[in-house]
Structures are given as C-alpha cells and as structure tokens.
Amino acid sequence: MKTAGLTMILLLLVLVPHTLVAQSPDDPEIIKAKEETAVVFDLVRFFGFLGTMEEEQPTLALSRDQLDEVYDIMNKIRATERLEAEMAKEILVQLEDEVLSPDQLMEVDQLFIAREAERTVSTGQGGGEGGLITSYIAGGPFNPSLDASKTMGKDFAAFYKSVAERVGK
C-alpha cells in the first residue's frame, strides 16, 4: 500500500515537469531547476497535507509515536539550508514506509492529487516558486519550508507548531 503512494507521487513528479515544459515560456535553465526541485516542493507540501488530513479526518490523526517521528523529521528539514532532491526523496520514502499508516498515506495522496489538479487548472501550470528557484540555480539557500511568504511555507510552519505543541516542545 505504501509503495502505491510512492508510485503515485513519483508519477506526478514525472508528469508535472512535462506540463511545465509544454506551457512555460521560461528558459531551459529555469525549467531544469523546476524539474530538479519538484520533489523538494512536494515534500514541503506533504506536511501541509498532513495538517489538512488531521483537520478533515480526525480518525486519521497522527499517534504520539508518529508525532515524535514527524517532529524529528521536520526539525531536520528546518535545519537544512539547502534542501536537495535526494534528501527530499529519502524523507518522503521514510514517511511513506515507516511513519504513516496505509489509510493516512492514501488520504495524503488524495489531498495531493486534488491540490495538484486544482493548481494546474487555476494557473495553467504548477509554478509559483519564483525567487526560490533563482536562489537554487545560483547555488544559494533553498528550503521552501522556511519561506513564510508562500502557502506551502505557511502550512509547514503551522503544522510544525501544532506538532511541537502536541509533543511538548
């Protein structure tokens, strides 16, 4: 079951960049950077979806053990100045294979799919990363979880605060 979730996310990672290429007037360097960083953005969004899952499906709320693991993972992400794709992939696999239950993973996948479809329809593409991509290309700091000016950064911060309070930190 968890492998199905990873497969779904990887499938979206393959499809979304092709949408960007087909519809974006951006130069090839920016398109390449968006493709390389898609999994990082997906990881940060993942935590927002966990928060949404808990709000919309209280029966799927994270257990105390899961909260402890998620808190540690989120601290690792927050402490990372330049969040690379390989680290993001490893964390996603860890969340899917070791932390979430099959029902939780299914719910997060459904939220991800719904949000991605909404973003694609409303914007015509999956953009919105602007200055972060520029910093990534320049080799500078790149951690969307720390960008409070973007929805994904705000959602990450809100979920982090909720998790921290529940684990007593």
Side-chain angles (χ1 to χ4, degrees), residues 34-152:
K34 285 182 178 182
E35 290 172 356
E36 291 172 355
T37 60
V39 69
V40 175
F41 288 108
D42 290 343
L43 172 64
V44 175
R45 287 184 189 104
F46 192 94
F47 292 98
F49 297 143
L50 285 176
T52 301
M53 174 193 74
E54 289 194 323
E55 289 173 17
E56 294 179 359
Q57 302 288 336
T59 59
L60 296 177
L62 299 176
S63 70
R64 175 56 196 235
D65 288 342
Q66 288 174 313
L67 286 169
D68 287 336
E69 289 183 70
V70 167
Y71 180 75
D72 290 343
I73 291 168
M74 293 181 86
N75 276 325
K76 179 179 177 180
I77 292 169
R78 289 168 35 112
T80 303
E81 184 174 300
R82 186 171 172 86
L83 189 54
E84 298 284 352
E86 191 59 38
M87 181 179 175
K89 288 177 194 174
E90 289 172 8
I91 292 171
L92 280 170
V93 168
Q94 178 184 4
L95 288 165
E96 293 172 345
D97 290 350
E98 301 171 19
V99 179
L100 297 183
S101 73
D103 289 341
Q104 290 167 327
L105 185 57
M106 181 73 77
E107 181 65 22
V108 170
D109 285 347
Q110 292 302 317
L111 291 168
F112 186 94
I113 291 166
R115 178 81 50 92
E116 200 59 38
E118 182 181 294
R119 285 171 27 109
T120 302
V121 169
S122 68
T123 65
Q125 62 183 5
E129 292 89 18
L132 286 170
I133 292 293
T134 304
S135 180
Y136 174 82
I137 291 170
F142 176 73
N143 189 338
S145 74
L146 303 176
D147 187 353
S149 70
K150 304 285 185 207
T151 301
M152 75 180 86

